[in-house]
Amino acid sequence: MPQLSLHSPLGPLTISEDEDHIVALDWGWGRNQAETPLLLRARDMLDRYFDGEAVVFDLPLAPFGTAYRQRVWQALQTVPHGTTTSYQALAARVGGSARAVGGAMGANPIPIIIPCHRVLGARGLGGYSGMGGLDDKRILLTLEGYFDD
């Protein structure tokens, strides 16, 4: 599976491609580095995002997950840059509970591009599955203007 890594404010990240679709974004440096057109495009978009641009990630995605998780991740992609939603509001849109939405967030194989960091809890930030946990979520939300520096 071709992978391409990049440096980011969150540390090294690796994008993975399978059959012309992005299938994962992981923390750390990947070992199967390849500069495919899709991976180069995804890396460029992420670089622009980390430089503070309001990037719309219009990439072909194929995250692996249950039908419910697919619905949640699809709905997440409609939450615009610089805005947030809640676990409860997302659950109202896709069905299920806030807890089930939280489970889908934790299983998101393509974070940042599928922006699970834009989902907040009823009494605070909620959680985040990135390597830096809530620190990573704060960095991403700050990049999008949710927090002032």
Side-chain angles (χ1 to χ4, degrees):
M1 175 178 314
Q3 299 176 319
L4 189 59
S5 299
L6 65 141
H7 296 282
S8 83
L10 309 175
L13 299 173
T14 298
I15 315 155
S16 299
E17 173 186 346
D18 189 37
E19 297 183 11
D20 300 317
H21 288 79
I22 301 297
V23 295
L25 189 148
D26 297 297
W27 272 248
W29 204 264
R31 56 173 204 231
N32 299 323
Q33 298 292 305
E35 292 188 343
T36 70
L38 177 58
L39 290 174
L40 287 169
R41 184 169 160 235
R43 183 185 67 186
D44 177 60
M45 293 176 104
L46 284 163
D47 283 341
R48 291 187 358 250
Y49 172 81
F50 289 124
D51 284 343
E53 279 188 46
V55 174
V56 174
F57 291 102
D58 60 344
L59 298 163
L61 306 178
F64 179 78
T66 65
Y68 179 76
R69 289 178 176 175
Q70 296 285 339
R71 282 197 319 271
V72 171
W73 299 333
Q74 200 64 30
L76 263 180
Q77 292 175 70
T78 68
V79 178
H81 180 99
T83 64
T84 60
T85 190
S86 69
Y87 294 96
Q88 190 63 44
L90 204 51
R93 284 180 58 196
V94 300
S97 67
R99 183 177 296 256
V101 166
M105 300 296 99
N108 177 5
I110 314 174
I112 305 167
I113 294 171
I114 297 176
C116 52
H117 60 278
R118 295 180 188 153
V119 180
L120 305 180
R123 291 180 287 277
L125 289 179
Y128 194 66
S129 61
M131 187 171 283
L134 287 179
D135 289 339
D136 284 354
K137 189 170 190 171
R138 281 186 196 91
I139 289 169
L140 295 170
L141 291 171
T142 299
L143 277 169
E144 296 188 17
Y146 184 78
F147 295 116
D148 293 326
D149 287 340

